[in-house]
C-alpha cells in the first residue's frame, strides 16, 4: 500500500504564502525572517522608484516617504546579506547602499531651480546640484540578480520607453530650459 499525504507540510505552506505575498518571479526557498530582511528587500526595489522619480519629470515623490534600514550619508541599505550572516568575514564596505536622501535633494533642486533666470542664483543652483550629484555618484542605484534573496535586475518591468536605461543615465546638469513635464 502507498500512503499519500495530500496535506503539504507547514514549511511548504509557509513558503507558498511567502512567495504569493511578494510575487517576485523565481523567489522561492527563502522568506524574509526578520524586519531587517524585509527592509533590505523593500529598499532594493524602492531605490528603483526613487531613482526614476529623480530622473523622469513625469514622476514625482509622494508627500510622505517611509524608509527602513537607513544608513550613513543619506543612504538606505539594499544588500541582501545581514551582518551576522557573514560571521568573521564581515566587511562593511561590501554592503550595498543607495543615496536616497541625495536623490530626493537632487530632484527638489531640479524643480526649485527649473525657472531660475538670475545668474547668481543659477550659479548657486548649479553648485548645489553638483554636490547632490556627487552624493548620488558615491552611492548610485545598483541592481543585480540574486533570486534566492528576491533581487532581480530586470523586475518589475519598466513602464516607459526610457526606463530600461534610467539606471545608467548620466545626470543632466542644471539647465533653465529643462522641461517640467514629460512628453511621453
Amino acid at each position: 500500500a502507498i500512503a499519500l499525504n495530500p496535506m503539504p507540510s507547514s514549511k511548504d505552506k509557509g513558503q507558498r504564502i511567502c512567495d504569493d505575498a511578494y510575487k517576485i518571479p523565481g523567489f522561492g526557498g527563502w522568506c524574509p525572517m526578520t524586519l531587517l530582511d524585509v527592509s533590505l528587500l523593500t529598499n532594493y526595489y524602492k531605490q528603483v522608484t526613487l531613482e526614476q522619480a529623480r530622473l523622469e519629470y513625469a514622476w514625482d515623490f509622494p508627500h510622505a516617504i517611509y524608509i527602513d534600514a537607513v544608513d550613513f550619508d543619506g543612504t538606505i541599505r539594499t544588500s541582501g546579506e545581514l551582518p551576522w550572516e557573514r560571521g568573521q568575514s564581515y566587511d562593511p564596505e561590501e554592503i550595498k547602499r543607495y543615496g536616497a536622501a541625495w536623490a530626493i535633494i537632487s530632484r527638489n533642486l531640479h524643480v526649485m531651480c527649473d525657472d531660475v533666470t538670475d545668474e547668481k542664483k543659477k550659479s548657486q543652483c548649479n553648485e548645489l546640484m553638483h554636490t547632490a550629484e556627487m552624493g548620488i555618484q558615491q552611492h548610485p542605484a545598483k541592481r543585480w540578480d540574486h533570486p534566492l534573496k528576491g533581487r532581480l535586475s530586470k523586475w518589475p518591468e519598466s513602464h516607459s520607453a526610457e526606463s530600461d536605461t534610467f539606471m545608467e543615465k548620466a545626470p543632466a546638469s542644471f539647465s533653465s530650459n529643462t522641461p517640467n513635464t514629460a512628453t511621453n
Side-chain angles (χ1 to χ4, degrees):
I2 298 174
L4 296 175
N5 182 0
M7 300 300 291
S9 73
S10 61
K11 182 178 179 183
D12 291 339
K13 184 178 179 183
Q15 187 62 53
R16 273 199 316 275
I17 290 169
C18 184
D19 294 347
D20 289 346
Y22 286 96
K23 298 185 184 343
I24 299 172
F27 186 51
W30 177 80
C31 195
M33 298 302 290
T34 68
L35 183 56
L36 187 54
D37 280 325
V38 173
S39 297
L40 295 174
L41 181 59
T42 302
N43 285 352
Y44 177 80
Y45 289 103
K46 195 172 286 185
Q47 74 174 334
V48 174
T49 55
L50 289 173
E51 188 69 359
Q52 199 155 11
R54 179 179 81 88
L55 295 175
E56 294 189 17
Y57 278 94
W59 289 47
D60 205 354
F61 292 111
H63 295 289
I65 298 174
Y66 300 94
I67 298 176
D68 294 316
V70 175
D71 214 332
F72 74 93
D73 198 24
T75 62
I76 57 174
R77 287 189 45 189
T78 60
S79 65
E81 295 77 27
L82 299 175
W84 52 85
E85 288 179 340
R86 294 178 178 231
Q88 298 299 321
S89 66
Y90 170 66
D91 180 2
E93 293 300 316
E94 291 181 21
I95 291 176
K96 294 172 185 77
R97 297 173 178 88
Y98 169 64
W102 292 113
I104 295 166
I105 291 167
S106 172
R107 174 68 170 145
N108 283 324
L109 284 169
H110 274 292
V111 171
M112 182 184 77
C113 295
D114 193 40
D115 295 326
V116 171
T117 56
D118 178 83
E119 287 303 315
K120 183 178 178 185
K121 288 181 181 176
K122 194 175 196 176
S123 174
Q124 291 170 335
C125 279
N126 283 331
E127 227 177 282
L128 291 169
M129 282 301 305
H130 177 73
T131 301
E133 295 303 329
M134 294 301 294
I136 291 166
Q137 287 176 15
Q138 286 179 341
H139 304 287
K142 294 178 189 169
R143 298 182 77 181
W144 63 92
D145 288 310
H146 192 325
L148 180 63
K149 293 281 187 161
R151 273 80 172 167
L152 300 176
S153 62
K154 302 213 182 295
W155 185 87
E157 291 191 24
S158 305
H159 296 290
S160 76
E162 283 190 289
S163 57
D164 287 340
T165 57
F166 79 87
M167 299 285 275
E168 290 82 28
K169 280 187 198 173
S173 60
F174 169 75
S175 168
S176 62
N177 59 3
T178 303
N180 58 12
T181 58
T183 57
N184 50 359

